[in-house]
């Protein structure tokens, strides 16, 4: 046997090494997919800035105050007859558990105090991301995930062509799989 001739054991080791490298490459892409998805989720669920939260608080207070319908309650005082009764009482049937929503009345009567209390309870802006900054970055992260999924599928198909079987993720994007198999259809 000449020195340049490889033995079957040497070929087997070579194939195992190639299979291992293919699996490692796919695992690296999968790690990047998971990392990018995590980054996207963190961005999507990051708290709003205090300024945006303050706008939401004001909008909520305005909506709650409108629900109070103080004009109707005040109208009872001006109506002839027996008078207003108890405008803040919530009737409850015997044996029935009910809760009274006092939010509208409180928002209508004490809007400044409620606003200040809620603003004081807001967390600081650490980690806050303005809503206007999110859509572009979310689109970038979504595009990155799509590109990584296509890379993953390309690596899997190349490994399969070389006789190495790599199982696809259960949550693999069918569009990424088809984009690699049918690139002309993906561009349409």
């Amino acid at each position: 046997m000449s020195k340049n001739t490889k033995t079957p054991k040497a070929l087997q080791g070579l194939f195992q090494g190639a299979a291992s490298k293919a699996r490692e490459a796919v695992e690296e892409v999968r790690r990047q997919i998971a990392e990018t998805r995590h980054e996207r989720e963190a961005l999507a669920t990051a708290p709003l800035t205090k300024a945006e939260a303050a706008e939401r608080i004001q909008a909520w207070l305005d909506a709650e105050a409108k629900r109070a319908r103080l004009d109707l309650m005040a109208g009872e005082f001006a109506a002839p007859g027996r008078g207003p009764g108890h405008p803040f009482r919530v009737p409850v049937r015997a044996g029935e558990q009910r809760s009274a929503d006092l939010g509208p009345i409180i928002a209508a009567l004490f809007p400044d105090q409620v606003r200040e209390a809620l603003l004081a309870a807001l967390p600081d802006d650490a980690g806050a991301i303005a809503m206007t900054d999110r859509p572009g970055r979310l689109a970038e992260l979504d595009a990155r995930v799509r590109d990584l999924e296509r890379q993953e599928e390309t690596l899997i198909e190349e490994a399969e062509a070389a006789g190495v079987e790599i199982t696809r993720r259960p949550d693999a994007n069918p569009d990424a799989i088809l984009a690699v198999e049918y690139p002309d259809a993906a561009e349409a």
Side-chain angles (χ1 to χ4, degrees):
M1 227 182 208
S2 87
K3 289 184 181 181
N4 292 337
T5 305
K6 295 185 179 184
T7 63
K9 275 189 171 185
L11 285 176
Q12 185 179 9
L14 183 64
F15 289 134
Q16 286 176 345
S20 178
K21 285 183 181 184
R23 287 186 180 93
E24 287 172 9
V26 169
E27 285 306 314
E28 172 58 22
V29 171
R30 288 177 176 172
R31 184 194 62 72
Q32 291 176 33
I33 290 169
E35 188 177 281
T36 305
R37 284 182 173 166
H38 179 74
E39 183 180 347
R40 187 200 190 288
E41 180 65 19
L43 174 65
T45 60
L48 302 178
T49 64
K50 278 188 171 188
E52 290 170 319
E55 288 175 15
R56 284 186 171 188
I57 288 169
Q58 188 59 55
W60 175 79
L61 280 169
D62 294 343
E64 287 295 290
K66 283 180 185 173
R67 285 185 44 216
R69 298 301 311 259
L70 291 179
D71 58 329
L72 293 179
M73 282 188 229
E76 287 188 34
F77 287 97
R82 58 169 227 224
H86 299 282
F88 297 122
R89 185 175 289 166
V90 177
V92 178
R93 292 186 189 125
E96 198 177 298
Q97 285 189 340
R98 292 188 57 190
S99 62
D101 181 4
L102 298 178
I105 297 295
I106 292 170
L109 297 177
F110 309 105
D112 296 334
Q113 292 87 340
V114 172
R115 182 184 319 96
E116 292 309 314
L118 290 173
L119 289 174
L122 286 174
D124 62 14
D125 273 345
I129 300 172
M131 288 301 288
T132 56
D133 296 341
R134 295 175 194 228
R137 183 66 182 136
L138 287 170
E140 288 173 10
L141 293 170
D142 289 341
R144 176 152 169 71
V145 167
R146 282 191 304 276
D147 290 344
L148 288 166
E149 287 178 328
R150 286 187 195 112
Q151 287 177 29
E152 175 191 28
E153 181 58 25
T154 299
L155 290 170
I156 290 171
E157 288 189 14
E158 287 174 356
E160 284 176 354
V164 177
E165 185 177 328
I166 299 176
T167 306
R168 286 178 178 82
R169 292 176 293 115
D171 66 339
N173 185 342
D175 290 338
I177 295 168
L178 294 173
V180 172
E181 280 193 47
Y182 304 101
D184 294 337
E187 292 174 11

